[in-house]
């Protein structure tokens, strides 16, 4: 039986190898370290303890995570960052059931998901989503239409990721005004940065979920010699309709697959590489009417990406880095027996170049910094085969320059300043006036915006290994094409959406205070923040109903199928807090046992004290864990409180409890002649109380329950 064809075979092979190979093993007790790559373009040298290990050609020097942190946990603390960073490792991704990247994140402090469907679940950070949260892969945006509507998927599979990083705050200036709320950065090795030790490394992994009888599997191989290195990976997953405490959730299936191939040329001072990626998905939209119509989305994306780095370390330049991506995306929204209701497309190109200058000694301390340019072009459309188009073809062009500088004032104090200037031009066909729906006034033209953003921050090392951070940020965001020019029916959300070509720039002022401790037995990261928005763009339900065209949106005798929705602006205020902590209590058996806890909330109100809709509730969680060189065991509970701070035309959402438990075994190998490097096998249960779970952020919360009690079996094998 081939282990490289189909999700079932990949998963079964991974589990079989994981059971067989531990008998050959010799235990390794050192926990691996983690680096983060997304928060800042200013790469700093690793601590002395890490510099002892030789660095591979082309490998970047990034922010290190203490190697004493657990392999898996609620909070992973980075001690050298100006912003709170959530890191999800490949080990956490492997053990999490669900079909999207967001499932690996939604229980972390400050992060939830839109949960429109199992195949379409976009990250929500601090109550912000869609055009305020950027999802990217290896530094390049996901280039989809997921920000246009909650039923649209992000075409990045969790099994392709080696790590996921979530960044809030000033670091988002590196990526553009559409990241005003945060960045979800997926990291993988599709463009290799160095030749693996020994010339080869690979991995096979897979899992099975009881709640949806789903099976998934993936494989990856990286091999090279001399200056050339090549990479290939593939994944497949298939999940049926999932179970809830009230029975099977109809039309909640997901079938996805994809592959990627890439290669790089590496040398002592850098690398340059390219990769091609294909992503396919077919998934259902749950809900009474959607299930009756068998609504589903068929998605395909082709993406060409490239990146590279050169470290001349001369003429004042320490490193030059670049990223480029070009994407052809489309999805069809199908109903009944495969009838195409609408077609969404996105053709997009994005490039970014960053130059980091050599450290400079000044009268105030050592200065490190980087400057960059980002260019983007996007053509997006949402065409309907019945009635008006949701979005006629719209073009967005943007160019921006940004600057990051960090000053080491003393051994304990470090300062950062960043700035970004952007020029965005959006051209499309929209509505200028719908006072008379029977004779609407069209607008065919363009809008130009020049967002200007900046931030300052300070890090100060307090006693006992605690680091304090204080940041201030001013960010401007250009309205998206859909916010300006939408003018049609969207069947999946049951709305008739009308954009507003008169929208101005959205402006936000944020102050954030945080404390963290990354080393030792007690680790934590805590933040409080306050954001004031001027001209916050939102969707307002008017109370009118429409059918498939503007003419049906009359006050009397109008349509009956869709709720009319307008894009408008109001001032708003967000404030909240996030905390996650772990404490290694005491040694026991061959390892250590400990406790962990978390809490987060966000409060969002319009001017006049009116609540914003779809804001996550307060959440409080905690648990116990045990870990050693081989075993990881943990049990935890996350409680979401009742959400009764609701917006207009919104209903309250009851609280719920999520009980989870996990047990896994990892065996590493260092015997000569051993093929496998490490094997992991485990089991994880989620929602073990089989509680009714409704996500207040979801448009579908009143008619769709989230999955009930389920168990996931998982395994992986790493080769070298």
């Amino acid at each position: 039986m081939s282990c490289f064809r189909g999700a079932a075979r990949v998963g079964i092979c991974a589990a079989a190898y994981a059971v067989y190979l531990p008998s050959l093993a010799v235990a390794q007790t050192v926990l691996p370290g983690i680096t983060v790559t997304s928060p800042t373009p200013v790469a700093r040298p690793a601590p002395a303890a890490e510099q002892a290990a030789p660095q591979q050609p082309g490998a970047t020097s990034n922010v290190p995570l203490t190697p004493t942190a657990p392999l898996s946990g609620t909070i992973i603390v980075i001690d050298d960052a100006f912003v709170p960073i959530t890191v999800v490792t490949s080990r956490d991704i492997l053990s999490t059931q669900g079909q999207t990247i967001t499932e690996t994140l939604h229980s972390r402090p400050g992060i939830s998901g839109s949960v429109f469907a199992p195949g379409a679940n976009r990250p929500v950070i601090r109550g912000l989503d869609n055009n305020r949260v950027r999802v990217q892969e290896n530094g390049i945006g996901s280039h989809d239409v997921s920000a246009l509507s909650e039923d649209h998927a992000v075409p990045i599979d969790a099994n392709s990721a080696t790590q996921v990083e979530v960044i809030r705050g000033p670091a988002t200036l590196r990526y553009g005004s559409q990241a005003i709320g945060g960045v979800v950065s997926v990291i993988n090795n599709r463009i290799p940065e160095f030749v693996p030790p020994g010339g080869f490394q690979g991995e096979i992994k897979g899992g099975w979920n009881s709640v949806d009888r789903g099976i998934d599997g993936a494989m990856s191989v990286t091999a090279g010699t001399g200056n050339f290195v090549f990479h290939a990976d593939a994944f497949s997953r298939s999940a049926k309709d999932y179970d809830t405490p009230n029975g099977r959730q109809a039309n909640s299936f997901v079938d996805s697959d994809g592959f990627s191939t890439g290669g790089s040329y590496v040398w002592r001072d850098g690398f340059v590489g390219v990769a091609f990626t294909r992503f396919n998905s077919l998934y259902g939209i749950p809900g009474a009417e959607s299930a009756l119509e068998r609504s589903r989305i068929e998605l395909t994306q082709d993406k060409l990406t490239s990146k590279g780095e050169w470290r001349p370390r001369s003429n004042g330049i320490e490193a030059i880095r670049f990223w480029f991506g070009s994407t052809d995306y489309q999805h069809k929204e199908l109903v009944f027996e495969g009838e195409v209701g609408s077609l969404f497309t996105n053709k997009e190109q994005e490039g970014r170049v960053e130059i980091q200058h050599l450290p400079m000694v000044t009268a105030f301390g050592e200065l490190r910094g980087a400057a960059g340019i980002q260019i983007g072009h996007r053509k997006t459309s949402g065409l309907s085969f019945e009635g008006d188009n949701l979005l006629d073809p719209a073009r967005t062009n943007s160019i921006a320059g940004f600057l990051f500088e960090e000053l080491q004032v003393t051994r304990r104090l470090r300062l950062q300043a960043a700035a970004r200037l952007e020029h965005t031009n959006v051209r499309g066909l929209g509505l200028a006036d719908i006072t008379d729906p029977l004779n609407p006034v069209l607008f065919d033209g363009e809008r130009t915006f020049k967002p200007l953003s900046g931030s300052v921050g300070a890090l100060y090392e307090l006693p006992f290994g605690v680091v304090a951070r204080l940041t201030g940020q001013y960010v401007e965001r250009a309205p998206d094409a859909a916010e300006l020019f939408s003018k049609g029916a969207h069947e999946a959300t049951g709305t008739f959406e009308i954009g507003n070509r008169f929208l101005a720039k959205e402006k936000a002022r944020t102050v954030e205070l945080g404390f963290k401790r990354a080393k030792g037995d007690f680790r934590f990261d805590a933040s409080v923040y306050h954001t004031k928005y001027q001209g916050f763009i939102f969707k307002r339900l008017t109370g009118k109903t429409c059918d498939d065209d503007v003419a049906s949106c009359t006050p009397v005798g109008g349509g009956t199928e869709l709720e009319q929705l307008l894009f408008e602006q109001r001032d708003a205020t967000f404030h909240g807090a996030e905390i996650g902590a772990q404490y290694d209590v005491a040694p026991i058996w061959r390892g250590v046992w400990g406790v962990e806890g978390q809490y987060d909330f966000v409060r969002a109100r319009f001017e006049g004290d009116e609540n914003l809709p779809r804001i996550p509730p307060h959440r409080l969680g905690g648990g116990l864990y045990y870990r050693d060189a081989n075993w990881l065991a943990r049990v935890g509970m996350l409680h979401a409180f009742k959400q009764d701070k609701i917006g207009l035309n919104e209903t309250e959402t009851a609280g719920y409890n999520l009980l989870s438990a996990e047990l896994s075994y990892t065996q590493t190998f260092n015997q000569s002649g051993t093929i496998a490097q490490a094997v992991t096998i485990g089991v994880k249960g989620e929602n073990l109380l089989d509680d009714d779970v409704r996500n207040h952020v979801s448009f579908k919360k009143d008619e769709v329950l989230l999955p009930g009690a389920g168990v996931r079996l998982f395994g992986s094998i790493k080769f070298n």
Side-chain angles (χ1 to χ4, degrees), residues 564-596:
Q564 188 187 73
L565 182 154
L566 302 181
F567 286 89
E568 295 185 354
Q569 287 185 290
R570 289 179 64 181
D571 293 348
T573 301
F574 284 64
H575 68 267
E578 302 157 358
I579 182 170
Q582 290 179 329
Y583 177 53
D584 296 339
V585 177
I588 186 174
W589 193 32
R590 299 183 302 176
V592 63
W593 77 276
V595 296
E596 58 188 353

Side-chain angles (χ1 to χ4, degrees), residues 66 96 100 146 378:
T66 169
T96 303
T100 69
S146 63
R378 176 163 54 106

Side-chain angles (χ1 to χ4, degrees), residues 56-131:
Q56 296 292 335
T60 58
S61 172
N62 296 303
V63 185
L65 169 73
T66 169
T68 62
L71 289 172
S72 178
T74 299
I75 191 73
I76 294 179
V77 186
I78 310 299
D79 66 352
D80 194 28
F82 287 83
V83 295
I85 304 170
T86 300
V87 179
V88 179
T89 66
S90 59
R91 170 64 183 72
D92 286 324
I93 296 170
L94 178 65
S95 65
T96 303
Q97 69 178 21
Q99 315 305 323
T100 69
I101 286 290
T102 304
E103 266 81 21
T104 69
L105 301 168
H106 76 274
S107 62
R108 269 59 179 185
I111 308 172
S112 55
S114 58
V115 196
F116 199 91
N121 186 7
R122 207 174 194 276
V124 177
I125 302 176
R126 295 179 172 178
L128 302 172
D129 58 1
N130 293 345
N131 295 306

Side-chain angles (χ1 to χ4, degrees), residues 229-520:
V229 57
F230 301 94
H231 173 88
D233 66 68
F235 79 90
S236 179
R237 63 173 66 245
S238 179
K240 304 183 185 304
D241 295 344
Y242 64 76
D243 295 326
T244 77
N246 293 343
R248 193 72 51 83
Q249 186 65 60
N251 210 41
S252 60
F253 70 92
V254 179
D255 288 300
S256 301
D257 61 72
F259 69 89
S260 181
T261 59
S264 298
Y265 179 82
V266 300
W267 66 99
R268 185 177 64 88
D269 295 320
F271 75 96
V272 61
V274 64
F276 173 81
T277 302
R278 161 67 65 89
F279 181 95
N280 304 303
S281 186
L282 176 67
Y283 59 91
I285 305 297
E289 184 176 351
S290 299
L292 182 64
E293 295 181 352
R294 297 186 59 224
S295 299
R296 55 206 184 277
I297 288 181
E298 184 179 62
L299 181 161
T300 300
Q301 184 189 63
D302 291 329
K303 181 186 291 186
L304 182 68
T305 55
S306 179
K307 69 175 181 178
E309 178 177 352
W310 176 42
R311 301 178 186 171
R313 298 185 177 92
S314 63
N315 298 319
I317 298 175
E318 184 166 12
I320 301 173
R321 307 179 182 96
F322 81 88
W323 296 258
F324 174 78
S326 179
T327 301
D328 186 357
Y329 169 100
Q330 76 164 25
H331 81 244
K332 302 174 184 176
E333 299 191 353
L334 309 175
V335 294
F336 299 112
E337 299 302 321
E339 178 185 343
V340 180
S342 54
L343 173 67
F344 288 81
T345 63
N346 188 60
K347 296 181 184 296
E348 187 166 356
Q349 300 81 41
E350 176 188 352
R352 190 171 77 256
V353 177
E354 297 175 355
I355 300 176
Q356 179 174 340
H357 65 71
L358 286 169
M360 296 186 296
V361 178
T362 73
F364 303 100
E366 183 183 69
L367 183 69
R368 291 176 175 271
I373 296 176
Q374 183 176 8
I375 300 175
H377 169 77
R378 176 163 54 106
K379 181 181 179 182
T380 310
S381 66
L383 307 180
S384 175
F385 295 96
E386 293 183 5
D388 293 340
N389 293 327
L390 176 62
L391 182 65
D392 284 305
R395 290 176 171 82
T396 303
N397 295 298
S398 63
I399 182 170
F402 55 91
L403 176 69
F404 279 72
E405 291 291 341
E406 295 183 6
L407 180 66
Q408 190 77 46
V409 181
T410 68
R411 185 177 64 86
R412 293 181 177 272
L413 176 63
R414 182 150 56 99
L415 305 177
Q416 183 188 77
R420 180 184 180 94
L421 176 61
E422 188 171 320
H423 182 280
T424 298
N425 179 274
V426 188
R427 182 176 183 83
L429 175 64
L431 295 172
D433 190 347
I434 56 168
T435 305
D436 180 5
L438 297 177
N439 296 286
V441 179
L442 293 177
F443 171 81
D444 185 1
E446 62 183 37
R447 292 291 311 280
T448 299
F449 306 92
K450 296 180 180 180
L452 175 63
S453 305
S455 70
V456 293
L459 286 180
Y460 189 78
E461 296 183 16
L462 299 170
F464 308 108
V466 178
V467 177
R469 64 175 179 265
L470 177 65
T471 59
Q473 183 181 15
Y474 172 79
V475 179
E476 296 181 345
R477 180 177 79 87
D480 184 73
E483 297 170 324
L484 295 167
F485 300 125
S486 292
K487 61 174 187 63
H490 201 171
E491 300 289 348
T493 56
T495 55
F496 192 96
E497 302 184 5
I498 300 176
N500 184 350
R501 78 168 185 95
F502 300 105
L503 293 175
K505 291 184 295 185
E506 185 178 85
K507 303 174 182 179
R509 296 172 174 85
T510 300
V511 176
E512 180 167 338
L513 175 65
F515 297 90
K516 54 192 170 185
R517 188 172 190 263
K519 299 179 174 64

